[in-house]
Amino acid sequence: MKRCLSLAALGLSVCLLTGCAQGAVLQSGSHAPVELSSWVASWEKDKGLAEYRQFKNHLSSIGCFMAYYDSEDKLFIPEETREIAAFVRKEGQKQRYLTITNDWQDEKGRQNPKNKDLLKRLFVNDEQKNAAIQEMLSAAHELECTGIELDYEAFFKDKALLQDYLSFTYKLSMACIKENLDLRIVLEPGMPMDAGFCKGPEYVVMFYNLHGRHSGPGAKADAEFIQKTIEKMAAIPGRKSAAFATGGCLWEDYGLLGLKKGPVRFVDEDEAAALVQKHSLTPERDAESAALHCQYEENGHHYELWYADSETINAWIKLATDNGIERISLWRLGGNTDIKAVKNR
């Protein structure tokens, strides 16, 4: 008992000395009402649509994810995306967005996600920009979507390309107004929010991948990350949405400072729960992120699992609403153990 008290006193001393800058406790609870949106991904169509049916009464809009570009830089809509759009329309979903990414597929069918060179070609001049916009408008009308969602990523560090992108978004916004289409624009958290975005669209900022394939183990978001990102969002005009990610990541053999590192893969909540059950684990809830985490050994390898459940998502939503955010987007439907436990208020 004395040793436990000594350790507790030491922890309190460290906390007082450091100001607990990294120690914000995150908890779920009641919060101001929010508008909820989500996505159904083409590669998880069946699971996503089944979950959509359970959750649709909570959603103000749905993103049909995704359309991307073929080897000739033409917009391509997978059949699964078409089926998603048709399904949610028949289910009575009023706001339906076609999500368009800068993924590019070469002539051999190989996927090149978040392709910066593609954007350079799409933005080479006003004529090409206008042609790309017309493709988007036509695709949205063809799928009977009520809006376009632009999800171009991994380019903003190129200052010239960023300026071309901003010019493109202004043109796209004006075109959507003329065509009576809504527009949502997805932004990475590292995007310079004060870059000069146009008024009119809804801006959806990604509040995830604080930890992931690029890092060591940890939650996709925590209190500090959420608060800092919301502060940056003050520079964005108009409507703003915070996008939080369900599920989590599984790290294999992540050693000291990443000197020893095995594969890292994303898992949905159902997969995480199955791992917990298989290995008879008791996950702990991290105070700073409200995420669940645990570790286990299998076949000579060490694994560390971090993931979000509905309580985690509700804690993130509460913190966002406490900081003035009224719109929440959830990436994504499919593989969530209890999606209906995510609360609008």
Side-chain angles (χ1 to χ4, degrees):
M1 176 62 76
K2 288 182 179 179
R3 175 174 172 78
C4 291
L5 289 173
S6 298
L7 289 173
L10 177 61
L12 177 60
S13 299
V14 171
C15 185
L16 291 171
L17 288 170
T18 61
C20 289
Q22 307 297 321
V25 175
L26 202 54
Q27 293 181 321
S28 63
S30 61
H31 54 76
V34 295
E35 289 185 20
L36 280 178
S37 301
S38 194
W39 291 269
V40 175
S42 56
W43 62 87
E44 201 71 280
K45 174 180 69 74
D46 293 340
K47 287 174 66 175
L49 290 179
E51 199 162 277
Y52 167 78
R53 240 180 186 160
Q54 300 175 33
F55 199 53
K56 66 178 183 178
N57 292 335
H58 296 272
L59 296 173
S60 62
S61 68
I62 195 75
C64 307
F65 196 96
M66 61 182 172
Y68 55 91
Y69 292 85
D70 65 17
S71 60
E72 297 180 351
D73 295 347
K74 298 298 182 183
L75 194 61
F76 174 74
I77 307 170
E79 183 58 33
E80 293 84 356
T81 304
R82 296 176 184 275
E83 292 173 4
I84 292 167
F87 184 93
V88 297
R89 178 175 56 81
K90 290 178 181 177
E91 287 289 311
Q93 184 66 55
K94 291 183 178 180
Q95 285 187 296
R96 307 176 303 278
Y97 290 88
L98 173 61
T99 306
I100 300 169
T101 73
N102 58 318
D103 291 9
W104 181 75
Q105 183 172 282
D106 67 20
E107 62 278 358
K108 294 183 179 180
R110 294 173 297 198
Q111 292 288 337
N112 296 268
K114 304 176 184 179
N115 192 281
K116 189 169 74 170
D117 290 334
L118 166 68
L119 296 184
K120 290 180 178 179
R121 297 193 296 272
L122 294 180
F123 299 161
V124 68
N125 54 39
D126 284 345
E127 181 180 359
Q128 183 57 54
K129 288 176 185 176
N130 291 334
I133 288 169
Q134 188 55 54
E135 277 193 315
M136 294 179 178
L137 300 175
S138 298
H141 286 312
E142 181 184 348
L143 270 61
E144 299 185 59
C145 288
T146 62
I148 291 170
E149 183 173 66
L150 187 70
D151 185 12
Y152 287 172
E153 299 179 28
F155 67 88
F156 64 82
K157 292 181 180 180
D158 185 323
K159 293 183 179 180
L161 190 54
L162 175 58
Q163 292 306 309
D164 279 334
Y165 167 80
L166 291 171
S167 168
F168 182 82
T169 62
Y170 273 75
K171 288 177 177 291
L172 178 59
S173 179
M174 292 300 298
C176 284
I177 291 171
K178 291 179 181 177
E179 293 287 329
N180 196 30
L181 291 168
D182 295 322
L183 176 61
R184 281 167 44 114
I185 297 178
V186 178
L187 303 177
E188 296 167 274
M191 172 72 76
M193 309 293 180
D194 58 355
F197 290 96
C198 61
K199 296 179 181 179
E202 177 181 350
Y203 290 94
V204 183
V205 178
M206 298 160 53
F207 280 68
Y208 45 89
N209 291 346
L210 175 63
H211 296 90
R213 289 175 177 168
H214 62 286
S215 74
K220 288 188 175 182
D222 64 16
E224 182 183 20
F225 172 66
I226 291 169
Q227 288 175 320
K228 285 185 175 180
T229 306
I230 289 175
E231 289 171 8
K232 290 174 59 179
M233 288 173 67
I236 301 174
R239 296 168 297 156
K240 306 163 193 177
S241 177
F244 295 118
T246 61
C249 269
L250 179 67
W251 285 262
E252 179 183 316
D253 293 333
Y254 193 91
L256 180 65
L257 301 177
L259 297 176
K260 179 184 178 185
K261 184 178 179 181
V264 183
R265 68 179 180 91
F266 291 117
V267 294
D268 61 34
E269 187 187 354
D270 286 347
E271 291 174 307
L275 287 170
V276 168
Q277 183 177 18
K278 176 183 177 182
H279 297 283
S280 301
L281 305 174
T282 304
E284 296 181 9
R285 193 170 299 277
D286 177 58
E288 295 176 28
S289 65
L292 294 169
H293 63 101
C294 50
Q295 302 180 41
Y296 63 92
E297 307 285 332
E298 184 177 43
N299 298 327
H301 295 282
H302 177 79
Y303 294 90
E304 187 162 350
L305 173 67
W306 285 73
Y307 66 100
D309 64 357
S310 59
E311 184 173 340
T312 312
I313 299 295
N314 285 325
W316 293 344
I317 292 174
K318 176 172 169 44
L319 182 57
T321 59
D322 287 349
N323 284 270
I325 300 297
E326 299 176 347
R327 293 176 174 84
I328 301 295
S329 300
L330 301 177
W331 172 259
R332 57 187 165 77
L333 296 181
N336 300 297
T337 301
D338 190 14
I339 191 66
K340 289 189 290 184
V342 174
K343 298 178 177 65
N344 293 68
R345 63 180 66 224

